[in-house]
Amino acid sequence: MLIEFIQSLYDQSRPLPENQDDYTSILEDIEYFHLSATVYSLLKQQGRMEQTPTYFQNQLKTEYQAVLYNNLYIKNQLKLILDTFETNGISAIPLKGIMFAETYFGHFSARRTTDIDILICKEDM
């Protein structure tokens, strides 16, 4: 059921599931794969959140808020690290994480991030 749900998120011509009971198993899979923030963001961007059951919306929102606060902390730490590298003349490229979420998902909190990955030259180690 999750695959069909995700397909409907990326192909808006496909309707979201109508059976309210399907959302319980969809929510379990979303939580298992840590997709709550991404699903929440997509549904909000598309204006389709209200087409889902209230309990589903509430759980996604709760998970999204946790990701938002976590990612905000990581975003601030990343800025401090990159500023320190710049001050010391060290070239650095952030990988995945916050920058990836902003670029490809539209917002830094649309994808769960748990760490900071930075690429630097070997001689700067």
Side-chain angles (χ1 to χ4, degrees):
M1 181 50 65
L2 179 64
I3 292 172
E4 292 85 4
F5 178 75
I6 290 174
Q7 288 172 335
S8 69
L9 289 178
Y10 287 98
D11 179 0
Q12 293 182 47
S13 68
R14 298 176 75 137
L16 293 171
E18 292 181 21
N19 184 347
Q20 302 296 305
D21 295 333
D22 290 342
Y23 284 92
T24 301
S25 66
I26 292 169
L27 189 57
E28 288 173 4
D29 288 340
I30 287 171
E31 290 175 353
Y32 179 80
F33 291 109
H34 305 288
L35 298 173
S36 296
T38 304
V39 170
Y40 180 84
S41 295
L42 287 169
L43 286 170
K44 289 295 275 187
Q45 288 171 9
Q46 297 170 4
R48 298 170 79 191
M49 185 65 78
E50 292 72 28
Q51 296 175 24
T52 65
T54 303
Y55 75 90
F56 183 82
Q57 296 172 34
N58 292 339
Q59 187 61 33
L60 288 180
K61 184 176 183 178
T62 298
E63 295 293 324
Y64 174 82
Q65 288 175 330
V67 169
L68 172 71
Y69 297 133
N70 177 74
N71 284 9
L72 184 57
Y73 175 76
I74 290 176
K75 183 176 181 171
N76 287 331
Q77 295 302 303
L78 176 61
K79 181 176 179 353
L80 290 172
I81 292 167
L82 293 176
D83 288 349
T84 301
F85 281 154
E86 185 175 348
T87 299
N88 290 287
I90 298 172
S91 298
I93 301 172
L95 305 172
K96 307 180 299 180
I98 298 297
M99 307 288 266
F100 182 85
E102 286 179 330
T103 302
Y104 296 103
F105 290 88
H107 195 268
F108 74 90
S109 63
R111 181 176 177 268
R112 183 175 180 232
T113 300
T114 58
D115 62 2
I116 297 172
D117 298 307
I118 301 173
L119 179 65
I120 62 172
C121 294
K122 189 174 184 175
E123 56 269 11
D124 290 329
M125 290 289 288

